[in-house]
């Protein structure tokens, strides 16, 4: 148990943010002289019935800006729940992305990501791809972007999230690799100086005979400003996937509350 407290403390002091790249909300005046920016989102709760229940969420984003108005993003996200020594939930991703700083109407973005979800049985999902990104408008309080591209996905699943284990002995793990078409829409709305909402919706389709088996991922974050560098965060995301390797539920969601530290 002590090692989990160590990792929680370790990640809580790093600069963190979720899959919604918060740099979209940085104004030119705030970032023109900055080569690096970072964000930290942390939430934590603990209670006890028969065992100690520990629930935590840590998110990390570090951005490095280049002179040509492009930048690199390094992001990490991990959500976990422990019931005593039993790990009930362990999901997250590590991502590296290269993209425009919203200075062009049309731009390219490329990315690589490693993802896992222990509750569902996803041991890993490796993704590498590229999008064409379109800026529809960027205003002080409202912006809208969309992207269209292709990525390659390789994944490995086990049967830990499946009730029926009959196939476990013959096929302990399943693997698949394929290309997917990727389309996303991203919108952010600043209600006032203290409340900011950012949402992104991904639509991903396998590029094979099962093309119509959609994966829909949505991520919504509400930031309530408490001070210049500190905000209260309400986070929600869900995934609907009709094309999983193992017969687990096709709907999965996460809701948590925390704080964000920005510099």
């Amino acid at each position: 148990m002590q090692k989990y407290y160590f990792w929680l403390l370790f990640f809580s002091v790093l600069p963190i943010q979720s899959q919604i790249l918060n740099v979209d909300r940085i104004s030119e005046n705030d970032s023109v002289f900055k080569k690096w920016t970072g964000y930290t989102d942390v939430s934590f709760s603990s209670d006890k019935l028969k065992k100690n229940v520990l629930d935590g969420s840590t998110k990390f984003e570090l951005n490095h800006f280049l002179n040509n108005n492009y930048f690199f993003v390094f992001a990490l996200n991990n959500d976990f729940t422990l019931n005593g020594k039993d790990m009930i939930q362990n999901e997250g991703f590590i991502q590296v992305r290269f993209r425009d700083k919203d200075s062009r109407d049309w731009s390219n973005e490329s990315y690589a990501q490693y993802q896992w979800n222990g509750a569902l049985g996803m041991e890993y999902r490796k993704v590498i791809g590229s999008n064409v990104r379109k800026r529809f408008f960027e205003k002080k309080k409202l912006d809208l972007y969309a992207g269209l591209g292709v990525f390659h996905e390789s994944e490995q699943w086990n049967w830990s999230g499946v009730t029926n284990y009959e196939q476990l002995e013959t096929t302990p793990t399943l693997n698949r690799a394929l290309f997917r078409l990727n389309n996303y829409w991203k919108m952010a709305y600043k209600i006032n100086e203290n409340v900011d909402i950012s949402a992104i919706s991904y639509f991903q389709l396998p590029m094979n005979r099962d093309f119509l088996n959609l994966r829909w991922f949505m991520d919504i974050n509400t930031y309530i400003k408490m001070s210049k560098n500190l905000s209260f965060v309400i986070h929600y995301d869900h995934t609907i996937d009709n094309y999983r390797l193992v017969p687990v539920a096709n709907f999965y969601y996460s809701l948590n509350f925390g704080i964000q530290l920005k510099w």
Side-chain angles (χ1 to χ4, degrees):
M1 174 66 72
Q2 291 180 348
K3 64 179 180 180
Y4 295 115
Y5 283 106
F6 168 78
W7 285 113
L8 177 65
L9 178 62
F10 174 76
F11 285 125
S12 68
V13 299
L14 290 176
I16 292 180
Q17 169 56 12
S18 70
Q19 191 165 349
I20 299 294
L21 301 181
N22 192 264
V23 72
D24 288 341
R25 307 303 289 150
I26 293 177
S27 68
E28 186 68 20
N29 290 334
D30 289 337
S31 59
V32 66
F33 297 116
K34 292 185 178 181
K35 289 292 185 181
W36 295 89
T37 61
Y39 305 87
T40 301
D41 289 6
V42 179
S43 66
F44 170 79
S45 65
S46 179
D47 53 274
K48 183 174 182 178
L49 294 174
K50 293 183 178 180
K51 300 179 180 179
N52 286 318
V53 178
L54 178 66
D55 184 80
S57 176
T58 59
K59 302 180 179 71
F60 169 83
E61 182 183 308
L62 183 64
N63 308 301
H64 177 54
F65 296 93
L66 306 177
N67 293 330
N68 60 358
N69 279 329
Y70 276 88
F71 65 98
F72 287 97
V73 180
F74 174 76
L76 181 147
N77 182 2
N78 184 226
D79 299 323
F80 66 89
T81 302
L82 284 167
N83 184 15
K85 295 183 179 180
D86 299 325
M87 180 71 75
I88 299 174
Q89 177 193 22
N90 180 19
E91 63 167 319
F93 66 85
I94 300 171
Q95 180 189 90
V96 178
R97 184 178 292 261
F98 175 77
R99 49 159 288 201
D100 174 53
K101 198 180 70 173
D102 299 337
S103 62
R104 301 167 174 89
D105 288 336
W106 293 92
S107 62
N108 169 265
E109 59 180 347
S110 301
Y111 53 90
Q113 179 168 296
Y114 183 90
Q115 182 181 355
W116 66 93
N117 191 323
L120 295 182
M122 182 201 300
E123 295 186 1
Y124 65 78
R125 176 182 288 151
K126 302 174 184 177
V127 173
I128 185 168
S130 186
N131 297 319
V132 176
R133 181 177 169 93
K134 168 62 177 174
R135 179 181 65 181
F136 287 96
F137 54 84
E138 170 88 32
K139 299 181 179 180
K140 184 177 180 180
K141 290 189 175 183
L142 183 67
D143 59 50
L144 178 65
Y145 293 83
L148 180 65
V150 175
F151 65 87
H152 183 265
E153 170 184 280
S154 61
E155 54 186 351
Q156 179 171 297
W157 291 68
N158 60 46
W159 296 80
S160 62
V162 181
T163 304
N164 188 349
Y165 283 86
E166 292 179 359
Q167 296 177 276
L168 180 59
E169 293 183 3
T170 56
T171 56
T173 59
L174 296 175
N175 296 80
R176 181 174 65 191
L178 52 82
F179 285 93
R180 284 184 183 266
L181 181 68
N182 181 47
N183 171 242
Y184 72 83
W185 291 83
K186 182 265 176 187
M187 184 181 72
Y189 178 55
K190 193 169 187 177
I191 298 175
N192 54 45
E193 291 302 315
N194 297 316
V195 181
D196 199 357
I197 299 175
S198 183
I200 192 166
S201 185
Y202 291 90
F203 302 94
Q204 300 169 346
L205 298 165
M207 299 179 68
N208 56 23
R209 63 183 181 181
D210 299 306
F211 182 75
L212 296 180
N213 284 303
L214 172 70
R215 178 194 294 154
W216 176 31
F217 174 79
M218 173 165 278
D219 188 307
I220 303 172
N221 292 278
T222 300
Y223 304 92
I224 303 172
K225 187 175 181 180
M226 301 168 63
S227 67
K228 181 180 179 180
N229 300 106
L230 188 67
S231 297
F232 178 72
V233 183
I234 304 171
H235 169 81
Y236 169 83
D237 67 71
H238 75 239
T239 302
I240 298 176
D241 191 348
N242 296 314
Y243 196 48
R244 298 192 191 277
L245 263 176
V246 295
V248 294
N250 62 2
F251 176 72
Y252 185 84
Y253 80 94
S254 176
L255 174 67
N256 55 61
F257 307 87
I259 59 173
Q260 180 190 82
L261 178 64
K262 178 178 72 172
W263 69 93

